[in-house]
Amino acid sequence: MRKKITKLWKKGLNTEPEFKEQTNIEVIELKKQDISTSYDQNLATFKSLFSVPDNIDVKVREFTITSLHRKGFIIYMSTMTDLQIIMESIMEPLIDNEHPSDKIPNIVSYPIASTNKNIGEITEFITSGNTALFVEGDEQCYLFETTQTSGRGIEKSDNEVIVKGAKEAFNEKVIDNIALIRKKIKNENLLVETQTISARSRNNVFLVYQKDLVQEDLLKSIKDKLSSFHVDSMIDLSILEQYLEERPRSLFPTLLYTERPDRAAAYIEEGHIVLLMENSPACLVLPATFWALFHSPEDHYLRTPYGNFIRFLRFLALFVAVFTSSIYIAITNFHVGMIPPDLLMAIAGTRERVPFPSIIEVLMMEIAFELIREAGLRVPSPIGPTIGIVGALILGQAAVQANIISPIVIIVIALSGLSSFIISDLSMNFAIRITRFLFIFSAGFMGIYGVTALFIGGLYYLVSLKSFGTPYFAPMTPHSFSSKDLLIRHVPMKERFRPGYLKPKDMVKQRKGS
C-alpha cells in the first residue's frame, strides 16, 4: 500500500488514495435501525454498543416499574451525568410509585426531554450526557437531560485584559457561555442553533445570532460551510477557525477570536454571527474586518477622548512595531545621507567595534527577544516575568559589553518589541511579529525601496482578503454606510447605524430623540 501511494504522488496525480473504513459493518447498519419492543433485545443491543461491563463509566440499571408491572432499564454515563437527579427523580419514582398509571411522564418527577426510536440517535444522546430509559413493550426510548460536567467557573480574561469594563470571560462550559451572552442581550430574537460538524467525536457548534438583524445569505453561507466538513474530530474552536478561513495559510487572520462575552454581545447586536463550542473558552465572530481585530473593547468603555488617545497610541505602536527595525537597517546600510551628522557620528561610534552588519545585529536581537518572550509565557507564572526581565537585561548588557551588539540596536529592538504588545488580538499580534521579519529582510536587500515595495504589495494583499464575502478593510474600502468607528471613535450618541457591509435587516441602532 505504501509503495502504491508513493507511485501516485511521483506521477503527480491529484488523486488521493482511498482507505476503506474497517469498522464493523454490522454496527453501522445496527445504528440505522429502530429499537425493538423486546426488553432483552434492547438490553443486549446497548450493552454491546457501549461494551458493558468493560466500559466502566457506562452504567446500566435494571428494575421493575411497579405501577406498570413491566421491566425497564436505564443507561447513562456516570462521569457526565447528575447521579442525584437520576436516583431521586427517575429511578425512585419508577420503583416506589405504586399508583396505577399507563404513562411514564406521569410517573417520573423529572421532565422528559424527548423520545426517540433510532438506535444511532439514542446512542448520540447518551454519549452527550443524557439518560435513556427503556420500558418493556414500548416502541420508543425516553430521554432525560441529566448532563453535568465539571469545569472551572467564570473568571477574568487572561488574554484580553482591560482596566475599565466587565471582567467576565468565557469558560469551557458552553451552557455558561450562552448564559453570559443572554444576560447581556435580553431579547426573544436571540437564537442559539446547534450543528454537528464531526463524524466520530460528534462535536457540536452553536450559532448565536439575532434573527431580526442577521442577513439570511450570510447565515446560509456559514451553515453551508459548517456542513461541508468531513472530519472525524474537531475538539476546539481554534481548529474550527482554521477550517473556516478562506485563506488558512494567510499571515493575517480573517476571523475574530475573543474570550469576552461583552464583546461577542456587541457584535451580535450589529448583525454578526457568533460561534461557540463545548470545551472552548472563547467564541468566533463572523465575519471580521481589520478594524475589528485592531480595536479593543476598552475603547468604548472609556470616555471618547481617552478611547481615541488609546487608539492613536495603538495605531502608532502598529507602525513602530513593523517599521522601526527595518528603517534602521535601511538608513544605516543604504541611506546614510538621511541621518543628521551628529546622529551619524553617534551611531558610527557605537558600531565601531561591532563585527557584524546591522541586519545581522537586528536579526540576532529580534530572535533573542522572541525567545525570551515565548519562554516567559511557557514557564510557570510565578517565574515567567522574572525570566523576561532578567533574561533581557543580562543578554542585552552582556552583548553590548562583548561588542557583539551596538547599544542603539538594543533601543530599536526594545521599542519595536514593546510596541507589539499593545496589539491585543493574539492572531493579529503574531501577524505583526512575523511581518516585522519580512520588512527586515526587504530592508537588508533593497533599503527604503524594498520596505516601500513590500508595504504597497502588502496593502494590495490585505485589500484582497475577505471574511465570508466581507472585504477586509470595510467599511473604509470599499466604502459602505456605517457609524465610521474606524480610526477615531465618535461619541456614543453619534453612533446611530450598524455596519452597512453586513446588510442587517435593521440599519438603525439608535434613533433620533431616543
Side-chain angles (χ1 to χ4, degrees):
M1 177 63 75
R2 185 176 297 175
K3 291 181 179 179
K4 184 179 179 182
I5 296 171
T6 308
K7 287 180 180 178
L8 284 172
W9 284 112
K10 284 183 177 179
K11 289 180 180 179
L13 298 177
N14 292 325
T15 307
E16 292 186 2
E18 293 186 1
F19 297 96
K20 292 184 178 180
E21 186 177 355
Q22 297 179 1
T23 308
N24 191 348
I25 298 175
E26 294 180 1
V27 173
I28 297 174
E29 292 299 322
L30 178 63
K31 288 183 178 180
K32 297 178 182 178
Q33 300 174 12
D34 291 343
I35 62 173
S36 169
T37 55
S38 169
Y39 173 85
D40 294 327
Q41 184 176 339
N42 289 332
L43 181 62
T45 297
F46 281 89
K47 278 188 174 182
S48 174
L49 283 174
F50 286 96
S51 303
V52 178
D54 296 334
N55 205 349
I56 60 171
D57 68 331
V58 178
K59 305 298 182 184
V60 177
R61 296 287 182 264
E62 300 181 60
F63 48 85
T64 299
I65 303 173
T66 306
S67 56
L68 296 179
H69 302 290
R70 284 190 282 171
K71 292 189 293 183
F73 73 91
I74 61 171
I75 180 170
Y76 59 91
M77 291 194 169
S78 60
T79 52
M80 296 181 64
T81 54
D82 190 331
L83 299 179
Q84 185 175 359
I85 289 177
I86 294 173
M87 296 304 296
E88 295 180 358
S89 303
I90 300 175
M91 286 194 65
E92 287 184 5
L94 290 171
I95 297 172
D96 298 338
N97 189 358
E98 297 180 355
H99 297 287
S101 178
D102 59 347
K103 294 182 179 179
I104 294 296
N106 297 335
I107 302 175
V108 295
S109 59
Y110 195 76
I112 296 174
S114 63
T115 58
N116 206 310
K117 297 180 179 180
N118 181 261
I119 293 175
E121 293 178 5
I122 295 171
T123 304
E124 291 184 19
F125 276 102
I126 296 171
T127 55
S128 298
N130 297 300
T131 299
L133 168 64
F134 296 83
V135 179
E136 181 183 12
D138 281 8
E139 295 180 349
Q140 61 186 3
C141 162
Y142 303 93
L143 299 166
F144 302 86
E145 289 187 359
T146 55
T147 307
Q148 185 185 51
T149 55
S150 58
R152 64 190 178 103
I154 298 170
E155 302 172 357
K156 291 183 179 181
S157 174
D158 293 328
N159 298 321
E160 297 175 87
V161 180
I162 63 172
V163 177
K164 189 175 184 180
K167 300 296 189 293
E168 293 174 332
F170 289 128
N171 62 17
E172 285 77 12
K173 290 183 180 180
V174 73
I175 297 175
D176 291 348
N177 297 342
I178 295 172
L180 287 171
I181 294 177
R182 285 202 176 273
K183 188 172 72 170
K184 292 171 173 56
I185 305 178
K186 300 178 178 68
N187 193 312
E188 71 279 4
N189 290 306
L190 182 66
L191 262 63
V192 181
E193 296 185 19
T194 182
Q195 191 165 339
T196 304
I197 56 171
S198 58
R200 288 186 177 274
S201 298
R202 304 188 188 106
N203 305 116
N204 291 329
V205 173
F206 297 83
L207 293 86
V208 187
Y209 61 92
Q210 284 200 222
K211 68 176 182 180
D212 59 339
L213 291 179
V214 71
Q215 183 199 6
E216 296 296 335
D217 292 340
L218 173 64
L219 180 61
K220 184 178 182 302
S221 66
I222 293 174
K223 287 183 176 180
D224 291 344
K225 184 76 172 179
L226 291 172
S227 302
S228 66
F229 301 146
H230 301 285
V231 294
D232 281 351
S233 176
M234 197 176 293
I235 59 175
D236 193 81
L237 205 64
S238 302
I239 300 173
L240 176 63
E241 178 184 4
Q242 299 173 61
Y243 276 87
L244 287 172
E245 287 182 314
E246 293 182 13
R247 299 187 186 180
R249 294 182 179 86
S250 172
L251 281 183
F252 286 84
T254 53
L255 304 179
L256 176 60
Y257 181 93
T258 178
E259 297 177 347
R260 301 188 58 83
D262 55 338
R263 198 176 187 188
Y267 280 107
I268 290 172
E269 291 186 323
E270 286 187 347
H272 291 262
I273 297 172
V274 164
L275 302 185
L276 296 168
M277 278 187 72
E278 193 73 60
N279 304 317
S280 296
C283 74
L284 286 179
V285 178
L286 312 176
T289 62
F290 172 83
W291 311 108
L293 296 159
F294 178 74
H295 293 165
S296 168
E298 197 170 26
D299 297 346
H300 289 267
Y301 290 132
L302 295 171
R303 295 182 65 246
T304 304
Y306 311 153
N308 284 330
F309 175 70
I310 296 299
R311 278 197 183 174
F312 174 75
L313 284 181
R314 194 180 302 122
F315 193 69
L316 178 64
L318 176 67
F319 280 90
V320 170
V322 173
F323 293 109
T324 304
S325 300
S326 56
I327 288 176
Y328 170 77
I329 293 171
I331 290 176
T332 54
N333 282 6
F334 296 93
H335 313 286
V336 182
M338 297 175 63
I339 308 176
D342 293 340
L343 180 58
L344 178 61
M345 294 298 294
I347 293 174
T350 58
R351 300 196 69 254
E352 184 178 2
R353 295 184 179 181
V354 177
F356 304 110
S358 57
I359 185 173
I360 300 298
E361 281 187 89
V362 169
L363 282 175
M364 285 195 300
M365 288 309 299
E366 286 281 8
I367 293 172
F369 189 90
E370 294 295 335
L371 289 173
I372 294 171
R373 182 175 184 170
E374 287 301 311
L377 290 173
R378 308 303 168 196
V379 298
S381 55
I383 60 174
T386 307
I387 285 181
I389 296 171
V390 174
L393 286 174
I394 292 175
L395 282 177
Q397 185 66 25
V400 171
Q401 289 182 353
N403 293 324
I404 297 175
I405 304 296
S406 58
I408 193 168
V409 169
I410 300 291
I411 298 172
V412 169
I413 299 303
L415 186 62
S416 176
L418 290 174
S419 297
S420 67
F421 282 102
I422 298 180
I423 310 299
S424 59
D425 186 82
L426 182 63
S427 297
M428 181 61 75
N429 191 287
F430 269 109
I432 297 303
R433 288 159 61 184
I434 297 172
T435 303
R436 185 166 69 229
F437 283 96
L438 298 179
F439 276 100
I440 287 172
F441 285 115
S442 65
F445 286 110
M446 296 179 63
I448 290 293
Y449 301 108
V451 173
T452 306
L454 182 60
F455 178 67
I456 295 173
L459 281 180
Y460 274 108
Y461 173 73
L462 291 176
V463 168
S464 71
L465 291 178
K466 288 186 178 181
S467 176
F468 286 93
T470 300
Y472 204 48
F473 280 107
M476 175 180 283
T477 175
H479 179 73
S480 59
F481 200 75
S482 70
S483 292
K484 300 177 181 178
D485 183 17
L486 301 176
L487 292 177
I488 298 175
R489 183 178 75 85
H490 298 284
V491 291
M493 292 73 73
K494 297 292 183 181
E495 296 181 355
R496 298 181 51 237
F497 303 102
R498 293 183 173 88
Y501 57 82
L502 291 174
K503 299 178 183 177
K505 294 177 181 177
D506 184 8
M507 275 293 298
V508 182
K509 65 178 180 180
Q510 185 177 179
R511 286 163 175 80
K512 290 184 178 180
S514 59

